[in-house]
């Protein structure tokens, strides 16, 4: 099993939830892996908002 490091906050400056999700899903090579993550990440995007800055996410981020 490989470990994927999360980007540091400075790497996320200006990145939105939608862009980060798209970039993450495109980086997965196995279709089954992409499909497994896609549903959860689509739900996250819908709750937080696609234009929400990734750098501003916190464990207590709440829906708009």
């Amino acid at each position: 099993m490989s470990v994927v490091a999360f980007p540091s906050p400075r790497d996320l400056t200006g990145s939105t939830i939608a862009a980060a999700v798209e970039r993450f899903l495109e980086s997965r090579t196995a279709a089954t892996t992409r499909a497994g993550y896609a549903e959860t990440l689509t739900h996250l995007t819908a709750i937080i908002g696609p234009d929400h800055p990734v750098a501003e996410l916190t464990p207590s981020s709440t829906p708009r």
Side-chain angles (χ1 to χ4, degrees):
M1 173 187 253
S2 62
V3 176
V4 177
F6 287 110
S8 68
R10 69 181 174 279
D11 296 337
L12 299 172
T13 302
S15 185
T16 65
I17 296 289
V21 166
E22 183 178 337
R23 200 167 48 245
F24 175 78
L25 291 175
E26 287 175 353
S27 73
R28 305 296 94 195
T29 56
T32 54
T33 302
R34 281 192 307 276
Y37 280 108
E39 183 177 352
T40 299
L41 293 173
T42 298
H43 185 68
L44 169 72
T45 301
I47 289 173
I48 300 298
D51 298 323
H52 188 89
V54 173
E56 293 180 14
L57 282 176
T58 66
S60 62
S61 290
T62 56
R64 295 179 187 195

